[in-house]
């Protein structure tokens, strides 16, 4: 039997150079289409999107893997703007 991959453990070896003052992703927290919001929540591999029991969208860009999945899926609806982090900021992938 093969060993199971622990995603949180694998993500934990990455190094993040975050730009806490200039988010590279802007989301529309007032967007109302719950189906669209749930799709974005489900596809983020870093689980940066979440919705509480009241339907409020929460998002934290600081652990972003920069895959762009949310941008492509959202088509400008939930994710209003998506860019790579500036300069040397962002994720640094490491083997783990």
């Amino acid at each position: 039997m093969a060993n199971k991959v622990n995603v949180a453990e694998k993500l934990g070896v990455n190094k993040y150079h975050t730009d806490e003052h200039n988010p590279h992703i802007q989301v529309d927290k007032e967007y109302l289409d719950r189906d669209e919001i749930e799709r974005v929540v489900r596809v983020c591999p870093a689980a940066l999107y979440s919705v509480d029991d009241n339907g409020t969208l929460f998002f934290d860009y600081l652990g972003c893997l920069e895959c762009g999945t949310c941008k492509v899926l959202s088509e400008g609806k939930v994710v209003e703007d998506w860019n790579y982090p500036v300069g040397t900021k962002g994720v640094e992938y490491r083997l783990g």
Side-chain angles (χ1 to χ4, degrees), residues 39-85:
R39 286 174 11 134
V40 172
V41 169
R42 282 193 311 269
V43 300
C44 179
L48 300 179
Y49 297 86
S50 63
V51 177
D52 69 7
D53 292 336
N54 297 324
T56 303
L57 175 64
F58 293 94
F59 171 68
D60 183 7
Y61 67 93
L62 297 178
C64 183
L65 300 174
E66 301 168 29
C67 66
T69 303
C70 62
K71 173 187 175 185
V72 172
L73 184 71
S74 177
E75 298 176 334
K77 298 172 187 166
V78 178
V79 178
E80 293 178 317
D81 192 32
W82 191 103
N83 297 288
Y84 285 104

